[in-house]
């Protein structure tokens, strides 16, 4: 199997370590993030990185027992880039000095100016004699290590950019991975070029390797895959199908809480177009029956989650000799990042997934997307020929329309909600806004309001439109539609959807709201 060049990111606990990986992947460089505690001499030898990056972190190198990289990182003979805490730890370990405070803490935007010396790392970097960067440090380097020179300074960081070009050790006080360092990507580009990376991490290459790996892992055994119609499970299914054909069986459970036309689309795509073995289970009576009279959001979520697992297990049991369960786990779910916050966080919502199922059923896991970020999954989907409709789709929660129908769920309300949602999404697509929005949907409200249509009085449901922008769903802003768009959409929904006579627009951001209504 061809091996790609690998870069190792040692995580010292910065909030933005994942962004370093994103920037590198965008350059077609394969990298992995590992917490500093795990990176021992043996780990380094085994990983065999072609370059290393030390991330930032919240600790102070002046504190005894603070995080350190293994000494052998410096003798491997590979280029190293230290960022913020990573710079300070590099200086300290190589004979420089780091001090705390003394009025030189810097948080936020700053400008770095070059010194007289040229450095290939900074090629094409400084414009108009300075460059904007993002600083976030309390400590600062007060004496650089032997062999290093200064290549950039800022008012709060006289050693903003330092390097020992002979050993290819580079260290910067700012964060090139964040948006507020506009030319940060260029710095990473120069670094990986200097380290000899050829940009060999491509989706075509990944597809080939992943297929080989699945065949190796699974052999001639059978695999079950829960298909939801979302991008992750769709891409995982198509990839595994390409590797093992009919030894893959997909199970698609229709819980009666899907959007308009969704179940048919999934069946047509995977059974008819891709010729996959697909069990399409219409279990809407079972789910909607169990949800009758339930209005508490957590009870709804738990009821659906538990039933889903039971139903999935029943169908999976019918597949003779299945030994593996496929899951669309992504890289952000498996990164063991260093957490300094400690303690369990509160449960805001019980998420719906099939975790725990493999152990219960004695199945082994196949997770072909474990190394990928979301946008890489999309790129792989395109590589595999999945239509844009599946790839570019907004996220859709496991409990489906149940959590967009506050209060009791009835078939009548679901039918109205489906129609209103379809009109809303059609409007968004027609106006060319779909790809700008992270997620958009309608929620049907548990109130009826009075209206007047023609000469008659109406007494129908009110609905709320929701549309947000977000990077990862953790925080979100409401989408600033024009008043014209909102007016036109409200008119269309009221005219085209029987059962709704009032439309509102939800302008809550997350936090304090959540994206879904429940
Ligand atoms: P909230 O509503 O918590 O949602 O702001 C954040 C993102 O997660 C999605 N979501 C879910 N996805 N199972 C899922 O697979 C769930 O139970 C679930 N609940 C919320 C939500 O649609 C948004 O993208």
């Amino acid at each position: 199997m061809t091996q790609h060049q690998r870069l190792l990111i040692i995580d010292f606990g910065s909030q933005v370590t994942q962004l370093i990986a994103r920037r590198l992947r965008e350059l077609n460089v394969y990298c992995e993030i590992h917490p500093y505690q795990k990176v021992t001499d043996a780990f380094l030898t085994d990983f065999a990185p072609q370059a290393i990056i030390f991330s930032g972190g919240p600790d102070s190198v002046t504190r005894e027992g603070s995080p350190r990289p293994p000494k052998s990182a410096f003798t491997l003979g590979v280029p190293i880039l230290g960022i913020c805490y990573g710079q300070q730890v590099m200086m300290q370990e190589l004979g420089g000095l780091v001090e705390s405070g003394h009025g030189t803490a810097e948080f936020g935007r700053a400008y770095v100016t070059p010194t007289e010396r040229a450095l290939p790392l900074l090629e094409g970097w400084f414009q108009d004699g300075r460059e904007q960067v993002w600083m976030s440090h309390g400590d600062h380097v007060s004496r650089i290590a032997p062999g290093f020179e200064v290549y950039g300074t800022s008012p709060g960081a006289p050693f903003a950019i330092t390097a020992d070009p002979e050993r290819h050790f580079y260290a910067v006080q700012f964060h090139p991975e964040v948006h507020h360092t506009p030319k940060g990507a260029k710095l990473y580009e120069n670094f990986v070029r200097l380290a000899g990376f050829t940009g060999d991490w491509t989706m075509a290459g990944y597809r080939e390797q992943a297929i080989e790996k699945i065949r190796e892992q699974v052999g001639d055994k059978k695999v079950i895959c829960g298909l939801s119609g979302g991008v992750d499970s769709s891409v995982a299914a198509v990839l595994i199908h390409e590797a093992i054909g009919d030894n893959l069986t997909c199970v698609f459970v229709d819980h009666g809480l899907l959007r308009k036309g969704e179940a048919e689309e999934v069946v047509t795509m995977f059974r008819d177009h891709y010729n996959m073995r697909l069990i399409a289970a219409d279990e809407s009576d079972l789910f909607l029956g169990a949800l009758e009279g339930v209005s508490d959001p957590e009870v709804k979520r738990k009821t659906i989650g538990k039933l889903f697992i039971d139903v999935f297990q029943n169908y999976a049991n019918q597949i003779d000799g299945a030994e593996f369960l496929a899951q669309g786990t992504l890289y952000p779910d498996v990164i063991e990042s260093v957490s300094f916050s400690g303690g369990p966080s509160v449960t805001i919502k019980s998420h719906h997934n099939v975790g725990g199922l493999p152990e219960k059923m004695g199945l082994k896991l196949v997770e072909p997307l474990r190394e990928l970020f979301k946008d890489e999954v999309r790129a792989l989907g395109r590589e595999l020929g999945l239509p844009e409709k599946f790839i570019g789709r907004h996220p859709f929660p496991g409990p489906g329309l149940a959590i967009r129908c506050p209060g009791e769920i009835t078939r009548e309300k679901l039918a109205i909600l489906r129609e209103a949602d379809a009109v809303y999404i059609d409007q968004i697509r027609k106006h060319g806004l779909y790809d700008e929005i992270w997620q958009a949907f309608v929620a049907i409200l548990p109130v009826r309001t009075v209206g007047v249509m023609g000469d008659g009085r109406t007494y129908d449901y009110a609905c709320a439109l929701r549309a947000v922008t977000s990077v990862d769903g953790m925080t979100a802003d409401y989408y600033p539609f024009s008043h014209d768009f909102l007016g036109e959409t409200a008119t269309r929904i009221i005219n085209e959807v029987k059962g709704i006579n009032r439309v509102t627009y939800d302008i809550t951001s997350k936090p304090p709201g959540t994206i879904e209504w429940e």
Side-chain angles (χ1 to χ4, degrees), residues 301 349-352 395 397-399 403 438-439 473 510 514-516:
R301 282 176 170 273
K349 299 176 183 185
S350 310
H351 264 230
H352 168 96
I403 57 176
W438 161 270
Q439 211 169 356
K510 174 183 181 176
T514 54
I515 296 175
E516 302 289 347

Side-chain angles (χ1 to χ4, degrees), residues 1 11 42 93 105 204 217 245 292 396 429:
M1 202 185 299
D11 183 20
E93 291 295 282
Q217 184 191 1
E292 234 172 68
F396 186 65
R429 285 200 190 275

